[in-house]
Amino acid sequence: MVSRVIPVDSFDLVVFGGTGDLARRKILPGLYRRFLAGQMTAESRIIGAARADLTEEAYRAMVGEAIDEFVPKDRRDAAVIAEFLARIGYVSIDAKGSAGWDVLRDKMRPNVVRAFYFSVAPALFGDIAERLHSNQIADAWSRIVVEKPFGRDLASAKALNAVLASHFNEGQIYRIDHYLGKETVQNLMAVRFANILFEPLWKSEYIDHVQITVAETVDVSGRGAYYDKSGAMRDMVQNHMMQLLCLIAMEPPYHFDPDAVRDEKLKVIRALEPVKPEDIVRGQYLGAKGEAGYVQHSENPASRTESYIALKVNIANWRWKGTPFYLRTGKKMRARASEIAITFKEPPHSIFDDAKGWKENVLVIRLQPNEGMELMMMIKEPGPGGMRLMQVPLDMAFADALGVEAEDVPDAYERLIMDVIRGNQTLFMRGDEVEAAWAWTDPIIQGWEARGERPQSYDAGSSGPEDALMLMHRDGRRWREIKE
Ligand code: BG6
């Protein structure tokens, strides 16, 4: 199946931090792929802006190298790459001074969408926003894109929101959480709201519990300094996992419209109960077989930062009272596997004698890898010998069902940048949503800091600390196995 590609309006996109890691790994290769797909018009331009004193040729060469490194070989077409690079410019700019801003202004064209990607440290957001206006580069139709981390607590997130709000209105600010750009994450909304099957059962009356797992095999080497100040709670839970939780738990929005969707997500975040200390397990990976562990990677031998966290989260509202959401995420785990598993309750009465074979229905949404859905169903074990029950999966891998190759599914960044150009904020976080997420997160972190807790050790390549198992066992439940 060939997916439909609808070209977006022509644009000038300025990437501040255009020589940085995110630009090289995601933004520029992603734009090339959209160009290759025919979604980015030939009239569009991308302008890298950074401190480095580079010529445009040198910058184009850098972008070409990034494409070689981060786009699969069979998607690299020399002629298309040359056409793409011809649309790239560069400005050496001083975010805190005056150099380069007039050059940038002269490069911007009238009558195209203007977007500014702030792929820089948040400390520079205010300086750049202010200069975009004082140099008459941004106007009322311009959009800005900002990345996580959006603050490290409520106070810093509020300060960032205030800085941005003094130059741009909320409708111009696109706060990226790249999980919202993932194909399967959006599928959560399609599954829930485009089918009648699940919604009537989507409540505590029928759902026993929900498990959200984001397990990674990567470690934190190379970004230890950032990570050690962040930890799994700030790096993954406050944003990515919170978004997944919201999409599962929210009420149906009246329309698939940016504010309608975000209003519903916000209500979920506001309904989250504070998490009790006994419902939190934090871990730190050890090195396996002579390899470095977390403390070596973070270069902080006394680090108390968690590379793993498991939490039991309750939502205090009519729909979810009594149905816990168990969240866990960690680095250096057994496998890279992200999924959401919704475990239904048992039927109220069994007419069968075979209690042994009995298992609950589980709906599993696999986010990555092998994106797809699985519904665990009870059936009769085939053959004679009476009515014995067994559980089998109704399994759908999206790649097989749709005949799409993994390489052809747009990366989250590609989709999100095109949404910025289209002016669609549905998959971006609103300021109040981010603040509400921090308002829930802050006391949890402050709690373990005040109690002086250290994370427990877990072996690299394992499923996390032992106590995380207890978090579920205690409630008579168990985590699903982490496997690819
Ligand atoms: C980032 C985190 O936001 O998301 C990383 O900072 C994490 O620590 C990454 O590895 C996970 O993203 P993905 O798309 O690989 O699941």
Side-chain angles (χ1 to χ4, degrees), residues 26 147-148 177-179 182 214-216 218-220 223 226-227 230 235-236 239-240 331 336 338 368 411-413:
K26 295 286 185 188
E147 271 291 327
K148 79 176 259 276
D177 182 316
H178 80 279
Y179 264 57
K182 288 182 190 273
V214 178
E216 299 184 277
V218 291
D219 56 36
V220 303
R223 59 202 287 259
Y226 151 76
Y227 194 90
S230 168
D235 186 51
M236 295 296 288
N239 37 71
H240 306 325
K331 306 278 187 223
R336 175 172 181 257
S338 302
Q368 59 196 27
D411 171 76
Y413 278 92

Side-chain angles (χ1 to χ4, degrees), residues 256-296:
F256 190 59
D257 156 279
D259 277 328
V261 171
R262 297 184 300 176
D263 285 347
E264 296 306 336
K265 288 197 295 170
L266 179 62
K267 286 184 208 160
V268 175
I269 303 174
R270 291 200 170 137
L272 295 178
E273 287 182 0
V275 181
K276 300 193 208 88
E278 62 269 29
D279 290 342
I280 308 169
V281 177
R282 296 192 309 134
Q284 212 180 57
Y285 62 83
L286 296 168
K289 299 186 206 91
E291 283 177 16
Y294 178 81
V295 286
Q296 287 83 29

Side-chain angles (χ1 to χ4, degrees), residues 42 61 96 98 110 127 143 218 221 260 314 330 339 344 355 366 398 418:
K96 286 180 166 295
S98 58
D127 294 309
R143 290 137 210 193
V218 291
S221 52
N314 292 307
E339 63 166 42
F344 291 86
R366 291 191 302 266
F398 292 138
M418 292 299 107

Side-chain angles (χ1 to χ4, degrees), residues 313-367:
V313 177
N314 292 307
I315 305 174
N317 66 17
W318 199 299
R319 189 189 278 262
W320 293 114
K321 190 73 197 169
T323 295
F325 283 59
Y326 297 92
L327 275 46
R328 65 178 162 164
T329 183
K331 306 278 187 223
K332 264 306 199 188
M333 309 274 294
R334 164 175 301 166
R336 175 172 181 257
S338 302
E339 63 166 42
I340 296 166
I342 293 142
T343 300
F344 291 86
K345 291 189 172 168
E346 290 182 0
H349 166 70
S350 170
I351 63 166
F352 304 109
D353 294 332
D354 182 14
K356 222 168 19 111
W358 196 269
K359 295 210 175 86
E360 305 108 340
N361 297 121
V362 186
L363 173 66
V364 182
I365 298 151
R366 291 191 302 266
L367 304 178

